[in-house]
Amino acid sequence: MKPGDLVKVHKDGVSVFAVISIDEEDGTALIESAVDAPGKYPAPLSSLVPVEQ
């Protein structure tokens, strides 16, 4: 996983997010909605699922 990748927050997730940055030390990624919605959120790397393109 790298910045720019599209992910969901769990395997059954519907919303798609873009990875902004990754903090390997904390095991988290900063993500923001891939659609026009405000906000950036930290999420555990272990819960993120790549979006099939």
Side-chain angles (χ1 to χ4, degrees):
M1 192 169 308
K2 62 187 183 308
D5 285 354
L6 297 178
V7 297
K8 295 180 182 179
V9 293
H10 54 80
K11 68 180 182 86
D12 296 323
V14 176
S15 299
V16 176
F17 298 86
V19 175
I20 303 302
S21 64
I22 295 176
D23 185 334
E24 297 285 345
E25 264 186 43
D26 285 342
T28 60
L30 185 63
I31 59 174
E32 69 179 352
S33 177
V35 296
D36 194 17
K40 293 180 178 138
Y41 311 94
L45 287 171
S46 60
S47 70
L48 298 179
V49 178
V51 171
E52 301 287 327
Q53 294 185 4

